[in-house]
Amino acid sequence: MARVHQYHRPDRSISPDSKSDSDIELDLHELAPKRANTEDDSDEPFHWNRQSPPSRIPLRNLRVGRTRALRSPRYEEGDGDSRYSEGTVEDRAPLLEASEDHDAKPTLPRDAAGTSSQTRLTRFLSSAPSETPARAGEVLETSSAGASRSIVIGQYPPPRFPPNAVSNAKYTAWSFLPRTLYNEFSFFFNMYFLVVALSQLIPPLRIGYVSTYVVPLVFVLSITLGKEALDDLARRRRDAEANKEPYTVLRLRHSATASGSNASSKGREGAHHKKFQRGTASSHQSRLDVVEEEEQRLGLTGKVSKNGVEMDELRIRSRDIKVGDVVKLSKDQRVPADLVILKSSSADSGVAPASAQPSAITLATNAGPEADPGLETAQAPGTQSVGESNSGSMGEAFLRTDQLDGETDWKLRLASPMTQQLDPREFTRLRIVAGRPSKKVNEFIGTLEYMPEADGGSNDDSQSPLSVPLTIDNTAWANTVLASNATILAVVVYTGAQTRQAMSTTPPRSKTGLLDCEINNLTKILCALTLSLSVILVALEGFENQEEMKWYVAITRFLILFSTIIPISLRVNLDMGKSVYAWSIERDQGIPGTVVRTSTIPEELGRIEYLLSDKTGTLTQNEMELKKIHIGTVSYANDAMDEVSSYVRQGFVAWPAEDASQQSTLVTPSTTFHNASNGTSATRTRREIGSRVRDLVLALALCHNVTPTTEEAEGSAFTTYQASSPDEIAIVRWTEQIGLRLIHRDRKSITLQSTETSKTVVRVRVLDVFPFTSEGKRMGIILQFYRGADVDQASEESGEMWFYQKGADTVMAAIVAANDWLDEETANMAREGFRTLVIGRRRLSAQHYQDFSAKYKEASLSLQGRDARMARVVKEHLESNLELLGVTGVEDKLQKDVKPSLELLRNAGIKIWMLTGDKVETARCVAVSAKLVSRTQFIHTITKLTPETSPSHALDALSLLRSKPDSTALLIDGDSLSYFLSHHRWEFISIAVQLPAVIACRCSPTQKADIAYLIRQFTKKRVACIGDGGNDVSMIQAADVGVGIVGKEGRQASLAADFSITSFHHLTKLLVWHGRNSYKRSAKLAQFIIHRGLIISVCQTIYSIAAHFHPNALYKDWLLVGYATVYTMAPVFSLVLDKDVDEGLANLYPELYKELTNGQSLSYRTFFVWVAISIYQGSIIQGLSQILVGSVDSPQMVSVSFTVLVINELIMVACEIVTWHRIMVASLLGTAVIYMGSVPFLGRYFDLGYVWSWAFAWRVAAISAISLIPPYSVKILRRTLKPPSYRKVQGI
């Protein structure tokens, strides 16, 4: 039979006693004894970056434990991909399965695995290549979002899981109309006018034309729904761009099985065609047909075949990526889904050819803190791990995760040692068991299994898969970015809505502005006024005296007549005004690149009282720079760094060796400092200072986890640095600037070079590294220095061994030797906003290191409390009485104009919260440097509160805040915040909302959204959230106003936000200027429209009273429609161009913004003032018209009354304008001309002969003067006695 899997020949150059870090070393005899000695069929080396065509084939012949029977196809959350097919489902597969033959028997907690781990293993069975394709369905898969999942690489059809598509759309094609109509008719006045329009279908209630009431309502709804549709279509277009991003995917299939399937599929082609014609999709169709069709469509030919497995590379869209696909990523690519890393190769070292790779698979557990300690086994002395093999690839990769969790540190991720040395075509023998989808971005538990080979029809159940644990260190979550100069192969485990990023994001909601809610409440008052007025008019006539109709019909007709009190044009004008505001914002040259994505809430920008901001990429650029060092007696900063450079040039010189036959001697910490100035010996003090500077620079150049890499751009090569912390990169860049360059770093050695001579001056051997942790707040390293270029000169007996450590001053103060300057200097740097690091060192003897190493190794093998025991050993043997070398101050560069922007917002009365996923110390430094916390404010820190914390202790932590809320800022970590939100929610939020600033650290995306929602719920105030990363999307969507910054790392936040800007300082203009204008203009526009509808209703009331309370219309048909449209709409709508102050005054006096948050521009007081004005003017216009004309119901009276009504509205608009615009002048004059020009066509309603007489003219002039002069006089008097704030600043 055709062989499916073959192995590479063993590399006999590797001796059995070669170095290895593996716990267990297994030869191929253990996996396939009959095949281990088989020679490789192909001598051609394999390069897995070679481009090759796509192919797909089902992975057949699997036997599954505890499976359900075959069932009909079911498309769960699928997108209709043809790869979906029926198959069996293993219900809640365990994460780690038992293995009788495996020495290590890992187990996981039941809650992590979902079931007991004592489950029968899945094994490969022998089969003939001609087996029917029906067996293709017998694969492990699960479609349940809540169950653990088994993933077999190369499995076709792939398991059914959600499509890998990004979606920020609010509506679907089916939900658009129901949801938008529900939102519209949730407004009272829309529902009111719907009832009025429907009432016109009843003949006794009909007044005039039905279109008079129906057309305006349809027009309003059409505009609103059209805007919503356009906004959502724009979101869908942006989502489509992200979903179309191309990625390279490896497709693996068994060539022998493929050929057999192809031969058998042709005979069934006709039967399958008939089945499809009947509408039934066959589950037994060969997958190869689909593969060949795709290859023909793409025009791809040729395959890379080896060991019976064909591997193709094809480019597919992000949305088409499926669970089980092997994705190939390179530097700066966004991770499209949640992945488990299988193989990583540095672009500098490349990947070893397949033929050169070891034949034996060396297993070394890669367990992180979450792994079961039982998975660790002892390492054989003198062995070498896979990660340190001669292949040149250690399986490392760095990720940028700030778009996911907000942390600025790069994360080191590792490929499993088992898969790192595999040929990619061997991935078809891998099986991954992953936990259920979760929103916890820092946790992952899974298992990676390497299946035994099926051979010759045998079925040896004694062979078990090799299992190693998977932890968070082996993952790459969606929306992170590959930062290192490497290429990785990773398998997809979660897609779409089941990724960590998507599960941490709340669905978008429809946002309604506060102004709309206030207007909705005012319309309810107007409706009550209309109903009361209708009942009163009918009652005055008498309920029993209604001759022509019933009393309730009369009341209803009055309600319809007075429906103009609630003007339907209000929504039209306000929505059109919002569009004008959005247009002006996007075309403001002062804030270029701003995009309004939600045009329904621009007025909210003028009502913000709480601003929740992300840190990384929002307030800061995430670009670190070392600004200051202090060595105890001297501080260096700015121009003084030139002196540091001179010390480095003199202190790092490769002096000639005493033996001329040897190479130059390298610099060690004990090397005498040679200082020469102008050819003469320097003073002793200068030599001492130079020596201390050299020691500090040497420590900074060695004590880190930075790796240099070489990249090419535009034909030139340059060096970049990779590390998990931007602070470390900043420090290494600084050492290079002053003369000491890092040129090589791996797990075992570090090499430094002088930038002046380009010669190697320092070479060390790395013995131990103690990485930084958030709990320890320090990082240490043990080094052995080489004395010369010959590495054999260094040994544990002769080479100097030093322990270097750097960390936060809070922990290093107790570790370094006693001194009198550390606390003072670190406090000074902290006040300047620098991130401080304290550096110390200690020399170790060979015996001291041996004692430590033995104790440390013993602690590392502990099964219980391993981390604590290892930390205790380090503390007892190393962390005591360190020589204090100095202190560094690193500045996290702030975004442009962040300091003045935050100060302006504070003066505007906005309380600012900074929510970040970063560390406590980092957030404190940024808060101080950005002036988020002023120097007069005390920072009260609350950290490390857990569910076990007593309530009294937690409430005591809040007591200080309660005593001094105005002068205290709160700094709280994520655990403590979670505790308060769970146990003392209202006690915490009631105090926190009073504070001038709150800094929350280690916040998850869900916590950020919860805080925004809690502030809105508790204070009923407007909350704005601003961020730039994918981890800020939930917070942005939970806010009343979401602002996204187009960052360097992506556009997720800007796409999901209501407003998108390019820099934080643009926010001030967006709020203080555009927010002010939008709110003030909409408030004035709403009041005028209400006044316009109320005044005509008052005229109708006066007319009805004079007409013996009959419910007849005063202005009919065109007069009623024309008054609200062509005769008054343009002048009233031109108020959206008005402004009470100019931009300079708004920025100079941000205190003006405070008045807006109180809602004084549109309040119940201003509403009733306009009601009084409308009642006065309507009574005067209609009453005097009837008196002066001498008729209650005549064309002469109507012509006088209607003309005065139009003139009154035009002059009232002119009196309210503060800053004139040419469009305002044109609209007023143009409307007057239009009215005069239309009078000859109003003969149906007017007495045209009377209109052109002097009698008409003086009556119109007299009535207009009486209706306009008194209200305007009162307004002038009030402004004189109590001028508004904007008048005061204009006077200044």
Side-chain angles (χ1 to χ4, degrees):
M1 59 172 287
R3 292 172 294 180
V4 176
H5 295 290
Q6 289 189 355
Y7 294 88
H8 307 297
R9 289 190 297 268
D11 190 349
R12 294 178 174 80
S13 63
I14 302 178
S15 60
D17 58 347
S18 61
K19 292 184 179 181
S20 173
D21 291 339
S22 166
D23 296 328
I24 306 170
E25 190 170 90
L26 298 175
D27 195 82
L28 297 180
H29 292 278
E30 301 180 47
L31 299 178
K34 296 181 180 180
R35 301 288 309 282
N37 296 325
T38 303
E39 292 296 323
D40 198 338
D41 290 346
S42 173
D43 294 329
E44 178 189 356
F46 169 68
H47 302 282
W48 54 272
N49 60 349
R50 173 179 173 182
Q51 296 291 330
S52 52
S55 66
R56 304 167 181 168
I57 200 71
L59 182 62
R60 297 174 173 81
N61 311 327
L62 296 181
R63 188 180 67 187
V64 182
R66 294 199 313 173
T67 60
R68 295 196 292 269
L70 288 173
R71 57 184 182 181
S72 300
R74 182 161 63 98
Y75 299 88
E76 299 181 5
E77 304 179 80
D79 58 354
D81 196 299
S82 61
R83 287 182 281 173
Y84 290 159
S85 180
E86 63 178 323
T88 58
V89 177
E90 183 179 23
D91 194 15
R92 303 181 66 82
L95 294 179
L96 291 177
E97 301 192 353
S99 173
E100 297 178 356
D101 300 334
H102 199 275
D103 294 338
K105 299 182 179 180
T107 59
L108 283 178
R110 184 176 296 269
D111 58 348
T115 63
S116 172
S117 61
Q118 304 301 322
T119 306
R120 186 153 45 109
L121 291 171
T122 303
R123 311 178 195 277
F124 280 92
L125 300 180
S126 60
S127 64
S130 60
E131 183 162 355
T132 61
R135 294 293 299 273
E138 295 182 319
V139 292
L140 282 170
E141 62 178 66
T142 176
S143 59
S144 172
S148 303
R149 60 185 60 184
S150 269
I151 303 165
V152 178
I153 299 177
Q155 169 183 339
Y156 291 104
R160 295 184 294 271
F161 291 108
N164 193 51
V166 177
S167 178
N168 289 300
K170 293 182 180 180
Y171 312 103
T172 65
W174 301 105
S175 67
F176 175 73
L177 277 179
R179 289 184 60 185
T180 51
L181 290 177
Y182 173 81
N183 292 334
E184 287 304 307
F185 289 114
S186 62
F187 287 99
F188 176 78
F189 55 84
N190 279 352
M191 180 59 70
Y192 175 81
F193 272 101
L194 177 62
V195 173
V196 170
L198 294 177
S199 70
Q200 296 304 291
L201 301 178
I202 304 174
L205 302 180
R206 185 173 301 166
I207 300 175
Y209 298 124
V210 176
S211 59
T212 305
Y213 298 91
V214 175
V215 172
L217 178 63
V218 173
F219 181 66
V220 170
L221 294 179
S222 299
I223 289 179
T224 306
L225 268 61
K227 288 174 77 284
E228 282 292 313
L230 291 176
D231 289 345
D232 210 52
L233 288 174
R235 295 188 193 95
R236 288 183 175 275
R237 283 194 296 269
R238 293 190 294 268
D239 292 340
E241 292 177 5
N243 293 329
K244 290 179 181 177
E245 186 176 356
Y247 287 91
T248 300
V249 175
L250 303 187
R251 303 290 179 170
L252 306 171
R253 66 171 180 173
H254 304 267
S255 57
T257 308
S259 60
S261 298
N262 188 30
S264 62
S265 65
K266 295 180 179 179
R268 296 187 301 271
E269 184 175 357
H272 282 307
H273 181 68
K274 294 179 181 179
K275 288 185 179 181
F276 279 116
Q277 285 181 335
R278 293 195 301 266
T280 304
S282 172
S283 62
H284 304 291
Q285 185 185 16
S286 171
R287 174 63 185 162
L288 190 60
D289 297 339
V290 181
V291 174
E292 291 177 345
E293 291 176 4
E294 183 174 4
E295 290 176 352
Q296 293 174 3
R297 178 175 59 85
L298 297 177
L300 298 174
T301 58
K303 297 175 177 60
V304 179
S305 178
K306 192 174 184 180
N307 298 335
V309 178
E310 293 182 353
M311 185 185 74
D312 309 323
E313 284 188 11
L314 69 154
R315 299 280 284 178
I316 65 173
R317 300 174 301 177
S318 174
R319 66 169 295 117
D320 296 330
I321 292 175
K322 307 294 181 184
V323 171
D325 284 348
V326 178
V327 181
K328 179 180 176 182
L329 298 174
S330 55
K331 180 178 172 61
D332 292 332
Q333 269 196 293
R334 181 183 68 87
V335 178
D338 286 357
L339 313 176
V340 168
I341 300 175
L342 301 177
K343 196 177 185 73
S344 175
S345 170
S346 171
D348 299 326
S349 60
V351 180
S355 60
Q357 295 178 3
S359 60
I361 301 173
T362 307
L363 299 181
T365 57
N366 193 15
E370 298 84 352
D372 192 301
L375 298 175
E376 297 270 347
T377 56
Q379 174 183 341
T383 61
Q384 182 181 6
S385 69
V386 171
E388 298 166 10
S389 66
N390 296 329
S391 67
S393 176
M394 295 180 289
E396 296 179 344
F398 284 99
L399 298 179
R400 290 197 297 268
T401 64
D402 50 346
Q403 297 295 299
L404 179 68
D405 56 19
E407 296 188 19
T408 59
D409 298 351
W410 289 7
K411 304 299 187 300
L412 175 64
R413 293 294 185 257
L414 304 170
S416 173
M418 181 172 70
T419 59
Q420 176 64 21
Q421 302 304 320
L422 284 180
D423 187 297
R425 286 159 294 191
E426 300 289 345
F427 289 169
T428 55
R429 298 176 59 187
L430 295 177
R431 176 174 179 263
I432 294 174
V433 183
R436 68 189 62 183
S438 169
K439 64 174 64 176
K440 298 180 179 179
V441 297
N442 295 318
E443 294 182 14
F444 176 74
I445 298 178
T447 306
L448 180 65
E449 297 179 352
Y450 186 73
M451 295 296 184
E453 181 186 12
D455 186 26
S458 65
N459 183 12
D460 187 0
D461 288 347
S462 63
Q463 299 183 31
S464 301
L466 305 179
S467 301
V468 293
L470 294 174
T471 69
I472 188 66
D473 294 329
N474 309 117
T475 62
W477 298 143
N479 213 28
T480 59
V481 177
L482 181 60
S484 54
N485 189 21
T487 302
I488 67 171
L489 295 181
V491 60
V492 178
V493 291
Y494 306 109
T495 53
Q498 294 182 354
T499 61
R500 277 354 190 224
Q501 189 267 342
M503 296 189 71
S504 300
T505 303
T506 56
R509 63 185 181 90
S510 297
K511 298 182 180 180
T512 302
L514 181 59
L515 184 72
D516 293 329
C517 297
E518 292 171 343
I519 293 175
N520 197 46
N521 292 332
L522 295 180
T523 56
K524 294 177 183 179
I525 298 176
L526 292 175
C527 182
L529 180 62
T530 302
L531 179 61
S532 302
L533 188 57
S534 301
V535 173
I536 291 173
L537 291 178
V538 174
L540 290 176
E541 176 67 14
F543 291 102
E544 303 299 332
N545 296 330
Q546 302 295 327
E547 300 176 356
E548 300 178 359
M549 61 191 72
K550 298 292 185 180
W551 63 268
Y552 51 83
V553 176
I555 291 177
T556 306
R557 286 177 62 88
F558 272 123
L559 282 172
I560 297 171
L561 286 174
F562 296 146
S563 62
T564 54
I565 291 181
I566 307 174
I568 193 170
S569 60
L570 179 59
R571 283 302 304 275
V572 178
N573 283 271
L574 289 178
D575 287 344
M576 293 173 61
K578 296 174 192 292
S579 300
V580 172
Y581 310 148
W583 183 86
S584 62
I585 290 173
E586 291 184 342
R587 282 156 182 76
D588 190 339
Q589 297 301 317
I591 47 175
T594 301
V595 179
V596 179
R597 305 199 188 279
T598 304
S599 58
T600 58
I601 56 171
E603 299 93 353
E604 297 294 275
L605 295 171
R607 309 289 293 278
I608 301 301
E609 295 191 50
Y610 290 90
L611 175 65
L612 277 55
S613 173
D614 180 40
K615 179 187 73 69
T616 307
T618 303
L619 298 178
T620 69
Q621 302 179 32
N622 196 25
E623 295 180 6
M624 310 298 175
E625 183 178 0
L626 193 146
K627 287 287 191 179
K628 189 175 184 179
I629 64 171
H630 197 288
I631 60 173
T633 56
V634 184
S635 176
Y636 296 96
N638 302 323
D639 295 338
M641 291 298 182
D642 294 338
E643 187 174 354
V644 176
S645 299
S646 66
Y647 285 132
V648 170
R649 286 194 299 270
Q650 297 162 10
F652 290 95
V653 178
W655 297 96
E658 296 179 358
D659 187 353
S661 62
Q662 297 182 0
Q663 300 183 32
S664 301
T665 302
L666 301 178
V667 177
T668 67
S670 60
T671 302
T672 303
F673 180 79
H674 297 273
N675 189 320
S677 178
N678 297 327
T680 61
S681 298
T683 62
R684 178 180 178 183
T685 302
R686 185 170 179 81
R687 287 198 302 272
E688 290 178 352
I689 293 176
S691 178
R692 298 186 68 174
V693 169
R694 185 199 66 181
D695 292 341
L696 175 61
V697 173
L698 179 62
L700 294 175
L702 294 174
C703 186
H704 54 72
N705 276 313
V706 180
T707 302
T709 60
T710 303
E711 298 183 6
E712 289 189 6
E714 299 179 357
S716 60
F718 60 94
T719 300
T720 60
Y721 296 111
Q722 301 171 6
S724 61
S725 171
D727 299 66
E728 291 193 329
I729 294 179
I731 291 174
V732 172
R733 284 176 177 166
W734 176 80
T735 61
E736 180 181 3
Q737 291 173 1
I738 62 173
L740 196 60
R741 179 187 295 123
L742 173 68
I743 61 171
H744 174 75
R745 166 69 188 263
D746 56 29
R747 293 184 180 181
K748 293 300 181 183
S749 65
I750 301 175
T751 303
L752 303 180
Q753 181 187 78
S754 171
T755 58
E756 183 180 22
T757 62
S758 298
K759 294 183 178 179
T760 299
V761 292
V762 177
R763 181 181 288 116
V764 297
R765 177 187 177 194
V766 179
L767 301 179
D768 290 281
V769 177
F770 313 102
F772 179 90
T773 62
S774 57
E775 294 78 16
K777 301 179 183 179
R778 56 192 183 275
M779 179 263 174
I781 190 170
I782 298 178
L783 304 172
Q784 186 173 32
F785 285 79
Y786 296 110
R787 292 184 177 179
D790 187 358
V791 297
D792 294 333
Q793 293 186 22
S795 66
E796 294 189 5
E797 292 77 16
S798 60
E800 300 178 22
M801 283 186 285
W802 289 81
F803 169 62
Y804 288 96
Q805 191 169 55
K806 64 181 180 182
D809 58 290
T810 54
V811 295
M812 293 294 293
I815 296 176
V816 299
N819 61 88
D820 57 356
W821 59 271
L822 178 60
D823 293 339
E824 180 182 359
E825 188 57 34
T826 53
N828 291 337
M829 288 189 180
R831 278 192 292 271
E832 296 180 55
F834 294 145
R835 305 166 70 160
T836 58
L837 282 176
V838 179
I839 297 91
R841 69 177 183 180
R842 179 178 179 179
R843 185 165 184 173
L844 305 178
S845 64
Q847 183 61 41
H848 188 172
Y849 176 73
Q850 290 176 2
D851 294 342
F852 159 76
S853 182
K855 293 287 185 181
Y856 191 71
K857 184 174 182 179
E858 179 183 352
S860 66
L861 299 178
S862 302
L863 297 181
Q864 301 294 333
R866 179 189 309 169
D867 294 339
R869 293 188 181 185
M870 294 169 66
R872 190 180 307 116
V873 171
V874 173
K875 183 175 182 180
E876 292 174 354
H877 289 77
L878 301 177
E879 295 180 339
S880 60
N881 203 31
L882 267 63
E883 177 188 355
L884 177 60
L885 296 179
V887 181
T888 64
V890 176
E891 179 187 45
D892 189 354
K893 292 182 180 179
L894 299 176
Q895 292 279 4
K896 180 182 178 181
D897 295 334
V898 162
K899 294 181 182 179
S901 297
L902 290 177
E903 182 180 1
L904 187 147
L905 294 175
R906 272 200 308 271
N907 293 336
I910 299 175
K911 293 181 172 63
I912 305 172
W913 292 38
M914 185 174 76
L915 311 180
T916 177
D918 224 327
K919 299 183 287 290
V920 173
E921 292 78 11
T922 303
R924 182 195 299 270
C925 293
V926 172
V928 173
S929 62
K931 298 296 187 289
L932 178 64
V933 178
S934 65
R935 296 190 176 186
T936 59
Q937 292 175 347
F938 170 73
I939 301 179
H940 180 56
T941 305
I942 301 177
T943 57
K944 298 181 180 179
L945 296 184
T946 63
E948 291 75 23
T949 304
S950 63
S952 59
H953 176 69
L955 294 176
D956 288 343
L958 297 176
S959 59
L960 178 62
L961 299 175
R962 187 178 289 107
S963 61
K964 297 180 180 179
D966 296 331
S967 59
T968 306
L970 172 63
L971 176 62
I972 186 170
D973 66 354
D975 292 337
S976 303
L977 180 63
S978 179
Y979 174 83
F980 279 120
L981 295 181
S982 301
H983 298 86
H984 307 287
R985 173 181 293 256
W986 296 114
E987 292 88 344
F988 170 76
I989 198 65
S990 62
I991 298 174
V993 295
Q994 302 177 36
L995 303 177
V998 176
I999 303 102
C1001 315
R1002 295 295 184 185
C1003 284
S1004 67
T1006 305
Q1007 282 181 324
K1008 293 182 177 182
D1010 289 344
I1011 292 174
Y1013 175 77
L1014 191 59
I1015 295 176
R1016 290 176 48 226
Q1017 187 181 33
F1018 182 82
T1019 64
K1020 309 299 180 184
K1021 306 294 185 181
R1022 300 289 97 179
V1023 177
C1025 294
I1026 182 171
D1028 75 316
N1031 61 310
D1032 302 317
V1033 171
S1034 295
M1035 174 181 70
I1036 287 172
Q1037 293 178 340
D1040 296 298
V1041 176
V1043 182
I1045 296 179
V1046 181
K1048 295 182 291 185
E1049 308 302 335
R1051 299 185 300 164
Q1052 290 78 14
S1054 66
L1055 293 178
D1058 304 308
F1059 300 88
S1060 173
I1061 59 179
T1062 57
S1063 181
F1064 181 84
H1065 74 280
H1066 292 169
L1067 181 66
T1068 57
K1069 187 171 187 179
L1070 196 64
L1071 297 182
V1072 175
W1073 176 240
H1074 289 289
R1076 176 183 185 83
N1077 288 337
S1078 299
Y1079 171 62
K1080 296 280 284 187
R1081 291 167 176 174
S1082 287
K1084 186 178 291 187
L1085 180 63
Q1087 290 169 339
F1088 253 95
I1089 294 174
I1090 291 175
H1091 165 264
R1092 186 179 64 186
L1094 194 58
I1095 191 174
I1096 197 173
S1097 297
V1098 172
C1099 292
Q1100 175 68 49
T1101 303
I1102 300 298
Y1103 169 76
S1104 298
I1105 293 174
H1108 305 289
F1109 308 102
H1110 287 176
N1112 297 323
L1114 170 61
Y1115 307 121
K1116 300 176 182 179
D1117 303 333
W1118 170 250
L1119 291 184
L1120 190 61
V1121 175
Y1123 172 75
T1125 55
V1126 295
Y1127 296 150
T1128 58
M1129 183 175 178
V1132 172
F1133 186 73
S1134 68
L1135 291 173
V1136 299
L1137 302 174
D1138 193 19
K1139 53 185 179 182
D1140 53 359
V1141 296
D1142 58 26
E1143 184 179 348
L1145 286 176
N1147 292 324
L1148 185 60
Y1149 299 100
E1151 293 79 8
L1152 293 173
Y1153 189 85
K1154 292 181 181 179
E1155 296 180 353
L1156 307 180
T1157 59
N1158 297 329
Q1160 295 180 358
S1161 297
L1162 181 62
S1163 61
Y1164 288 116
R1165 185 186 64 83
T1166 59
F1167 169 72
F1168 285 112
V1169 167
W1170 279 98
V1171 169
I1173 294 174
S1174 301
I1175 293 175
Y1176 168 77
Q1177 291 183 335
S1179 301
I1180 292 296
I1181 291 172
Q1182 186 61 28
L1184 290 182
S1185 296
Q1186 294 175 173
I1187 294 173
L1188 296 180
V1189 175
S1191 173
V1192 174
D1193 189 6
S1194 65
Q1196 292 86 354
M1197 186 278 298
V1198 173
S1199 60
V1200 171
S1201 174
F1202 190 80
T1203 303
V1204 174
L1205 195 62
V1206 173
I1207 293 174
N1208 180 85
E1209 198 66 22
L1210 297 181
I1211 296 178
M1212 284 292 292
V1213 170
C1215 293
E1216 287 297 319
I1217 293 175
V1218 178
T1219 305
W1220 284 87
H1221 191 280
R1222 62 178 181 273
I1223 295 181
M1224 296 177 176
V1225 177
S1227 63
L1228 286 170
L1229 296 179
T1231 299
V1233 171
I1234 289 174
Y1235 177 71
M1236 289 187 293
S1238 65
V1239 168
F1241 302 97
L1242 300 177
R1244 181 180 174 185
Y1245 314 102
F1246 291 177
D1247 184 347
L1248 297 182
Y1250 179 74
V1251 168
W1252 304 113
S1253 65
W1254 283 106
F1256 172 83
W1258 75 261
R1259 286 176 175 82
V1260 169
I1263 297 173
S1264 299
I1266 297 173
S1267 67
L1268 289 168
I1269 293 177
Y1272 186 73
S1273 301
V1274 173
K1275 178 181 178 181
I1276 295 297
L1277 180 63
R1278 185 178 179 276
R1279 282 186 177 180
T1280 304
L1281 298 177
K1282 190 180 179 181
S1285 299
Y1286 72 87
R1287 289 285 183 181
K1288 296 178 182 178
V1289 299
Q1290 285 176 338
I1292 295 174

